[in-house]
Amino acid sequence: MINLNSITNAPYPRLVVDLKKLRHNIDVVLSNCNKANISVCGAIKGFNGLPEAVKQFAEAGCSQLGTSRMRTIKELTMLGIDAKYLLLRVPMLSEVEDVVEYADVSLNSDIEVIRALNDAAAKAEKLHEVIIMADLGDLREGFWDKEELVNCAEIIEKELDNIVLKGVGTNLGCYGSIKPTVEKMNELILIAELVEERIGRRLEIISGGATSSYTLVLNQSMPERINHLRIGEGILNDYDLPEIWGLNIENMYQDVLTFEAEVIEVRNKPTHPVGEICIDSFGRKPEYIDRGIRKRVLLAAGKLDFALNDKIFPQKEGVEVIGSSSDHMILDIEDSKEEIKVGDIVTFNVSYPSMMYMSNDKYVNVIYK
Ligand SMILES: *Cc1c(COP(=O)(O)O)cnc(C)c1O
């Protein structure tokens, strides 16, 4: 049998992770949050839990490390990366045994699943911590009915001996694009207070959301009782915070992760396809603008590696992404002052969504520096 792990990849494309810059960004976010008495779950799913990067989150003092996939938590545990792990996606019924074995805390929105976690935890003679989620309008996970949430909290508190109710949380700005505001945070605090009234004790955690909620820390308007956030994007790449939120992020690196791909063709070609236009390799019918003959580069990397060609950004001035298919990317380099030739490497800053694909791609080499 051939061991597939021993097949060495071509050196490119590669994803370069700068651990010093990563650590700097983590430290800045932790310091901002800690000043506001907020502990931070470092969300490591954006780069699929690449171990060396995960270590930086653990060493920097994140209260937990969070990811949506149990498999990542299991792998990191097996690699010996010791941390408190938080499962960000509400558990599947079929994975509760793994959840209680490998995750310390999970976000939850279903009493049947929580009961199953309790049974699994009892069997494993463990305690499992939960944060119950309230849906405040973004329409992904979470209880919609407040009474149902409070009842769930009461059941956990009074009946489920192996589940520890740590607190309540919410998630915004994911499916429904809902903006985290002071009002939404106050709504969550109100829900926490309803739970506290019912169970007769104070909750330890009120988890106000993800990077989008971190913006309230940056503009110093986060209500006091919010004491926990789950942050990934805001650490790894927050280039859209100034644009969308008007926030200053000058002290943050935008190139913690960079993508490098190799040039396989350089040629002058027309900008408008020649012949009868039908559909592209993804079954779509894009618009093409005729800009005459221009100098273009073909790279050996494609949608399989980064999914969205408009979400990765060439570092060189005058280099523009004009399209891609599964395994190729086309750049316009007509306005580039530097010469680019076959065999050269083109470097990109990457968005949060593209790093998710790249870090999960067996064709991309991951390099730490
Ligand atoms: C992904 C995720 C986060 C982290 O989101 P970022 O935008 O990367 O900060 C937080 N909470 C939940 C429930 C998530 O799924």
Side-chain angles (χ1 to χ4, degrees), residues 41-46 66-68 86-90 107 133 140-141 170-174 207 209-214 229-236 352:
C41 164
I44 55 169
K45 67 183 191 205
T67 183
S68 302
L86 185 156
L87 182 63
L88 288 169
R89 185 171 67 190
V90 298
L107 307 182
M133 298 296 279
R140 201 178 69 183
E141 76 277 41
T170 195
N171 199 65
L172 294 160
C174 274
S207 187
T211 295
S212 52
S213 299
Y214 170 59
L229 291 173
R230 313 169 308 266
I231 303 178
E233 182 169 13
I235 290 167
L236 292 160
Y352 191 58

Side-chain angles (χ1 to χ4, degrees), residues 28-97:
V28 170
V29 170
L30 285 186
S31 150
N32 287 338
C33 286
N34 292 346
K35 269 184 232 151
N37 291 315
I38 289 172
S39 67
V40 176
C41 164
I44 55 169
K45 67 183 191 205
F47 54 91
N48 283 284
L50 293 173
E52 292 307 314
V54 168
K55 283 184 197 160
Q56 298 298 318
F57 281 78
E59 286 165 14
C62 290
S63 56
Q64 307 89 10
L65 303 183
T67 183
S68 302
R69 312 273 174 165
M70 264 322 301
R71 179 177 164 145
T72 308
I73 295 177
K74 238 170 135 167
E75 285 173 355
L76 291 168
T77 307
M78 286 168 178
L79 287 172
I81 300 177
D82 200 24
K84 207 165 167 174
Y85 288 105
L86 185 156
L87 182 63
L88 288 169
R89 185 171 67 190
V90 298
M92 296 184 266
L93 263 183
S94 59
E95 66 182 352
V96 291
E97 279 84 13

Side-chain angles (χ1 to χ4, degrees), residues 15-19 49-54 366-369:
L15 181 63
V16 181
V17 186
D18 187 318
L19 295 175
L50 293 173
E52 292 307 314
V54 168
V366 175
I367 304 288
Y368 299 103
K369 73 168 190 190

Side-chain angles (χ1 to χ4, degrees), residues 101-117:
E101 182 65 31
Y102 297 100
D104 302 278
V105 47
S106 56
L107 307 182
N108 280 273
S109 65
D110 186 283
I111 187 64
E112 194 189 338
V113 173
I114 298 170
R115 286 187 194 277
L117 286 169

Side-chain angles (χ1 to χ4, degrees), residues 105-331:
V105 47
S106 56
L107 307 182
N108 280 273
S109 65
D110 186 283
I111 187 64
E112 194 189 338
V113 173
I114 298 170
R115 286 187 194 277
L117 286 169
N118 185 58
D119 293 345
K123 217 181 273 169
E125 296 181 12
K126 286 185 167 232
L127 291 178
H128 182 71
E129 300 174 353
V130 299
I131 294 171
I132 46 183
M133 298 296 279
D135 185 343
L136 302 181
D138 202 57
L139 308 184
R140 201 178 69 183
E141 76 277 41
F143 286 91
W144 186 250
D145 185 85
K146 292 185 181 57
E147 188 58 24
E148 194 189 342
L149 183 149
V150 175
N151 289 340
C152 172
E154 189 179 14
I155 293 171
I156 296 172
E157 188 75 0
K158 296 193 176 147
E159 297 175 25
L160 306 183
D161 293 340
N162 294 74
I163 301 293
V164 182
L165 175 62
K166 288 300 260 193
V168 296
T170 195
N171 199 65
L172 294 160
C174 274
Y175 168 71
S177 315
I178 294 300
K179 182 178 180 176
T181 56
V182 172
E183 292 70 36
K184 290 286 179 196
M185 293 301 109
N186 284 331
E187 209 181 311
L188 180 65
I189 292 168
L190 206 68
I191 290 169
E193 287 168 352
L194 288 173
V195 170
E196 289 172 338
E197 205 174 301
R198 182 74 71 85
I199 65 173
R201 68 173 172 90
R202 208 171 150 89
L203 290 172
E204 197 180 305
I205 292 177
I206 304 184
S207 187
T211 295
S212 52
S213 299
Y214 170 59
T215 56
L216 299 181
V217 174
L218 288 177
N219 66 25
Q220 297 178 345
S221 64
M222 185 60 97
E224 229 172 74
R225 277 217 67 191
I226 302 292
N227 62 4
H228 183 265
L229 291 173
R230 313 169 308 266
I231 303 178
E233 182 169 13
I235 290 167
L236 292 160
N237 187 317
D238 57 356
Y239 71 95
D240 58 1
L241 290 187
E243 189 187 317
I244 297 170
W245 299 84
L247 292 164
N248 181 342
I249 50 147
E250 272 162 24
N251 57 347
M252 297 288 284
Y253 291 110
Q254 301 308 318
D255 55 355
V256 171
L257 288 93
T258 49
F259 183 66
E260 299 178 346
E262 185 170 333
V263 176
I264 54 173
E265 183 187 301
V266 184
R267 209 164 251 130
N268 288 321
K269 284 193 188 180
T271 38
H272 194 276
V274 180
E276 197 179 326
I277 291 200
C278 187
I279 52 168
D280 73 6
S281 60
F282 279 71
R284 290 186 294 222
K285 214 170 177 168
E287 296 276 322
Y288 301 92
I289 299 161
D290 193 351
R291 300 166 75 195
I293 304 261
R294 291 175 70 87
K295 193 166 192 184
R296 315 162 352 132
V297 149
L298 201 56
L299 293 179
K303 285 197 169 74
L304 180 61
D305 310 300
F306 47 72
L308 307 161
N309 63 231
D310 57 344
K311 291 282 179 187
I312 74 173
F313 313 104
Q315 286 185 340
K316 271 198 184 45
E317 225 181 295
V319 176
E320 189 192 342
V321 177
I322 57 176
S324 64
S325 57
S326 318
D327 309 299
H328 295 82
M329 181 177 217
I330 306 165
L331 304 175

